[in-house]
Amino acid sequence: MHVIYHSEYDEAFLIKSVRGRWVLDSRGNPTVQVKVVTEGLGVGVGYAPSGASTGVHEAVEVRDGGREFHGKGVGRAVENVNKMIAPAIIGMDSRRQREIDMKMIEMDGTRNKARIGGNAIVATSIAVAKAAASTMDLPLYQYIGGKQADLLPVPMLNIINGGVHAGNKLDFQEFMIVPAGFSTFSEALRASVEIYHELKNILKNRYGPQAINVGDEGGFAPPLEKTREALDLLVDSIKAAGYSPGDQVALALDVASSRLFNRDRNVYVIEGQELSVDKLIDYYSKLVNDYPIVSIEDPFHEDDFEAFAKFTSEFSHRILVVGDDLFVTNPERLEKGISMRAANAVLVKVNQVGTLTETFAVIDIARTAGYRTIISHRSGETEDTAISDLAVGVRAGLIKTGAPARGERTAKYNRLLEIEEEVEKPKYPGFSVFPRKP
Ligand code: PGA
Ligand code: ZN
């Protein structure tokens, strides 16, 4: 039965209940889920994802400590939803996202959401938007972006995992394929899945069955040590699937280099070698010359705006230079980066900043400066698909949401397939979101 209280009744949008609870994320850790119901019986459920390679400037997750869940419990964060946030926003109009987000920020009162918790706040912020959309009977991407939300994102699929996401010795965290040379999202996804399975075959044949274990984001975590071995495997898999590397499927890296930086010695340690910024730029330069790379994320540590700027001045016409831990989806850090020409793209993670309102602000700032926006999952995820709707709703053009395997990753791709079918004339931007075809 469909309840017919509708948008003509403003009361329908008033928040009737807010309920937080703990649920599990994809790494088997507890996280916050929030359910918001409106008077019109619109329902929105939001979740807090969780990073492993978190930047030091991110919004803080409130966790309980102590013995339960090895200290990772979210009992306090859930209580903050039920005892602080709920009484403050019940009765408010769920369409007033900004007012609701600002109210939570004010109540928290810290710079990094450390009191109420970024996890409590982000799950509520997303749940409120979904509840309003549901009250209007609109899909979330249309609630965010209106009827003109018709641009599907180019996915960047992390199919070889290293760094803190895997138990191997690869220094770089993510080795991605980028199926930009197709005319629709679904064709691009099909090619990616075929490549993923070719990679699995190649790994099994070359390294044995233990090499097909997967890391946190569903990519394989083979016992490799060298960046070039991983990149060669990607190229071989693309070819084995019958596609052309560079022309149809490009490559991307997330170095997540804060973990590779030795502060005392002021060097990056890559494959046992100590590299200065200049030497590291040479290293990247050779990779970009030898492989069809279209994007490098976090090539330098999270506070090294200068090194980013140097690299960007040399490479922004060839690849996306993406700030993740550098910007942490934070408007002030992004403004600083823009004024220093530190990058040409920003990774957008709602839980890094903590609310949808601040996320939209970051996307606006990026767009005005001509920066590309990549909507991103976290390594610890849930079945939530809000980021798929967000990517389409804001016409981001790019999404990073892991390998095409494991339920919490496929949920996002499956939602995009659904949206592609629902939208009247879906568009796929292909290589136009990159500085050039490699
Ligand atoms: P995280 O990794 O979710 O563990 O932070 C993702 C990334 O670095 O892009
Ligand atoms: Zn990253």
Side-chain angles (χ1 to χ4, degrees):
M1 188 194 74
H2 198 83
V3 178
I4 319 189
Y5 286 175
H6 240 290
S7 45
E8 56 269 35
Y9 300 103
D10 276 353
E11 302 83 58
F13 289 96
L14 302 184
I15 294 175
K16 184 179 175 185
S17 70
V18 177
R19 182 86 209 153
R21 63 170 60 82
W22 71 264
V23 295
L24 292 176
D25 76 9
S26 58
R27 277 193 282 249
N29 291 322
T31 191
V32 181
Q33 184 208 59
V34 175
K35 187 186 250 184
V36 169
V37 182
T38 62
E39 292 290 347
L41 300 186
V43 179
V45 182
Y47 297 80
S50 177
S53 69
T54 46
V56 293
H57 305 285
E58 291 193 19
V60 169
E61 293 175 341
V62 167
R63 296 212 182 254
D64 299 337
R67 285 183 50 206
E68 286 182 6
F69 292 119
H70 296 86
K72 289 187 188 286
V74 291
R76 278 196 298 138
V78 165
E79 196 173 294
N80 291 345
V81 172
N82 294 331
K83 301 236 169 92
M84 292 177 75
I85 297 176
I89 70 171
I90 284 173
M92 286 179 82
D93 188 318
S94 55
R95 291 168 298 186
R96 307 224 170 222
Q97 187 76 40
R98 190 181 172 77
E99 268 171 45
I100 292 168
D101 287 345
M102 288 305 152
K103 182 150 221 165
M104 292 192 284
I105 291 168
E106 240 165 66
M107 276 167 45
D108 176 83
T110 67
R111 272 185 66 81
N112 53 2
K113 303 187 173 64
R115 186 157 156 255
I116 296 181
N119 44 355
I121 292 174
V122 77
T124 309
S125 184
I126 292 168
V128 164
K130 286 188 179 177
S134 154
T135 308
M136 270 183 218
D137 223 348
L138 277 182
L140 184 61
Y141 66 93
Q142 274 185 19
Y143 174 68
I144 294 171
K147 281 275 174 218
Q148 60 274 34
D150 61 359
L151 186 73
L152 273 289
V154 173
M156 306 169 82
L157 301 100
N158 176 15
I159 64 172
I160 297 182
N161 295 188
V164 294
H165 292 169
N168 58 19
K169 294 212 174 101
L170 286 170
D171 291 322
F172 290 8
Q173 181 176 284
E174 301 175 15
F175 297 84
M176 293 171 269
I177 52 170
V178 183
F182 297 86
S183 49
T184 65
F185 172 79
S186 42
E187 279 174 65
L189 187 62
R190 173 175 50 74
S192 306
V193 170
E194 291 165 6
I195 294 162
Y196 182 78
H197 287 284
E198 289 298 339
L199 174 60
K200 185 172 184 174
N201 288 335
I202 294 173
L203 286 171
K204 200 156 51 180
N205 293 339
R206 279 191 208 166
Y207 304 97
Q210 79 285 358
I212 57 169
N213 290 339
V214 299
D216 286 351
E217 298 188 349
F220 299 107
L224 306 176
E225 296 181 7
K226 294 211 157 47
T227 297
R228 279 173 183 263
E229 283 180 292
L231 290 169
D232 288 336
L233 274 166
L234 294 185
V235 170
D236 291 350
S237 311
I238 293 167
K239 287 183 184 157
Y243 298 105
S244 142
D247 224 28
Q248 290 176 296
V249 185
L251 306 182
L253 293 167
D254 180 3
V255 182
S257 68
S258 295
R259 294 287 186 291
L260 307 174
F261 183 61
N262 181 322
R263 264 167 217 279
D264 300 330
R265 302 174 58 83
N266 196 32
V267 291
Y268 291 86
V269 184
I270 312 268
E271 291 166 19
Q273 307 263 60
E274 295 195 342
L275 303 181
S276 64
V277 166
D278 286 335
K279 286 268 155 56
L280 186 53
I281 291 179
D282 285 347
Y283 179 88
Y284 292 138
S285 165
K286 289 187 186 119
L287 291 182
V288 172
N289 287 336
D290 293 348
Y291 297 93
I293 292 172
V294 287
S295 172
I296 301 184
E297 178 179 331
D298 284 344
F300 307 96
H301 75 76
E302 59 207 332
D303 288 311
D304 204 347
F305 283 88
E306 286 79 19
F308 263 86
K310 190 162 189 198
F311 185 60
T312 299
S313 71
E314 289 176 43
F315 284 89
S316 62
H317 65 291
R318 297 179 68 182
I319 62 169
L320 293 183
V321 180
V322 185
D324 168 16
D325 292 346
L326 182 74
F327 296 138
V328 289
T329 318
N330 178 299
E332 284 109 62
R333 291 186 67 88
L334 179 59
E335 302 261 23
K336 176 176 174 184
I338 289 167
S339 70
M340 290 180 65
R341 297 176 191 273
N344 60 8
V346 54
L347 204 74
V348 176
K349 295 166 165 169
V350 186
N351 84 321
Q352 265 180 340
V353 66
T355 63
L356 279 176
T357 300
E358 291 161 289
T359 304
F360 295 142
V362 161
I363 292 169
D364 276 348
I365 294 167
R367 201 154 276 164
T368 308
Y371 273 41
R372 292 288 174 199
T373 51
I374 306 171
I375 306 299
S376 173
H377 67 163
R378 300 307 304 252
S379 51
E381 265 295 335
T382 69
E383 57 273 34
D384 191 15
T385 57
I387 62 165
S388 303
D389 285 72
L390 179 63
V392 176
V394 302
R395 303 179 68 85
L398 290 151
I399 193 168
K400 194 174 98 154
T401 190
R406 295 181 49 141
E408 75 282 3
R409 315 294 149 184
T410 56
K412 277 69 164 176
Y413 292 119
N414 293 345
R415 174 67 183 143
L416 288 168
L417 289 171
E418 191 175 41
I419 295 174
E420 183 183 42
E421 217 177 274
E422 223 169 79
V423 168
E424 208 173 307
K425 283 207 184 93
K427 299 194 176 70
Y428 186 67
F431 279 109
S432 72
V433 288
F434 297 99
R436 66 169 205 194
K437 201 164 160 177

